[in-house]
Amino acid sequence: MKTRARFLSLLFLLPLFIFKACGQNKKEQYTSTKNNPMENKISKPDNPYYSNTDTTKLNLTDAQWKKVLPNDVYEVMRQADTERPFTGKYWNTDEKGTYYCAACGNKLFRSGAKFSSSCGWPSFFEQENKKSTIYKQDNSLGMERTEVLCGRCGGHLGHLFDDGPAPTGKRYCMNSIALDFIPDNK
């Protein structure tokens, strides 16, 4: 009698364990080039303004940006801070691909325009297109410089100098933290 009761209990509980186990096998799905190389975009679920395809200009308050950007990205992009030289993830990278604004996803530069400037920050001799970046005079720190801002969100990317290579003679000296990178599909 006890054996039969245990057997019936086991028959009743077994489907519950199977359903429970199936529910635990569910995987989270993220859209990024690392998980799905066929999708050439980055997904930032906590940032509803981020898009690698939308070119609509953004006009958000600093409070709105502070809610969606990590603190270090916010300090550089919204407060015009600068990362230390030779510390950013892209300063010495030569992989082929496209660089995007880390705040809004706007396409900024292609790797073909990147060059080694030995300044400690990623440097490019031209932007992706004329609307990728905008410029502002920057007289901070007792210097006359041209600040480079994202053409979509107005976020601080870095500075522009006239000591770059041909054909433009320009050096877009960018903060790595202000950039996202998608490698070309192989």
Side-chain angles (χ1 to χ4, degrees):
M1 182 77 172
K2 280 186 177 182
T3 307
R4 184 178 172 171
R6 284 185 185 161
F7 180 72
L8 289 174
S9 297
L10 183 60
L11 283 177
F12 175 75
L13 293 175
L14 188 59
L16 293 176
F17 288 119
I18 290 171
F19 288 126
K20 180 75 171 164
C22 289
Q24 291 175 350
N25 202 16
K26 189 176 175 182
K27 291 183 180 178
E28 290 185 42
Q29 294 180 0
Y30 299 98
T31 305
S32 78
T33 57
K34 289 182 181 173
N35 293 337
N36 189 354
M38 299 312 287
E39 297 250 354
N40 205 16
K41 64 181 183 176
I42 296 171
S43 177
K44 294 189 178 184
D46 294 335
N47 183 346
Y49 313 108
Y50 193 92
S51 172
N52 296 131
T53 56
D54 189 357
T55 58
T56 306
K57 287 212 184 257
L58 297 172
N59 189 19
L60 305 175
T61 66
D62 275 344
Q64 289 172 300
W65 282 119
K66 195 165 187 111
K67 286 181 185 177
V68 299
L69 296 177
N71 288 337
D72 51 355
V73 175
Y74 175 84
E75 289 300 319
V76 169
M77 299 207 69
R78 306 317 304 177
Q79 302 297 308
D81 199 359
T82 300
E83 66 189 1
R84 291 187 328 264
F86 306 103
T87 63
K89 57 189 168 189
Y90 302 125
W91 79 270
N92 199 22
T93 301
D94 62 359
E95 191 173 1
K96 303 291 183 226
T98 306
Y99 292 85
Y100 297 86
C101 174
C104 73
N106 186 36
K107 186 189 289 188
L108 299 170
F109 303 99
R110 284 287 301 152
S111 58
K114 190 173 187 292
F115 68 97
S116 177
S117 68
S118 303
C119 68
W121 292 279
S123 298
F124 304 85
F125 60 80
E126 68 183 349
Q127 74 273 35
E128 173 60 19
N129 66 58
K130 298 292 182 200
K131 294 181 180 179
S132 294
T133 58
I134 55 176
Y135 311 96
K136 183 173 114 180
Q137 195 60 34
D138 178 4
N139 296 317
S140 65
L141 305 174
M143 296 183 272
E144 289 185 24
R145 299 181 291 178
T146 302
E147 182 180 11
V148 180
L149 306 168
C150 173
R152 180 170 182 241
C153 72
H156 173 79
L157 301 170
H159 291 90
L160 178 62
F161 301 98
D162 290 323
D163 59 1
T168 63
K170 302 292 184 191
R171 176 170 54 101
Y172 290 81
C173 185
M174 304 290 98
N175 289 287
S176 287
I177 200 165
L179 303 173
D180 283 335
F181 179 72
I182 297 178
D184 289 344
N185 292 335
K186 296 183 179 183

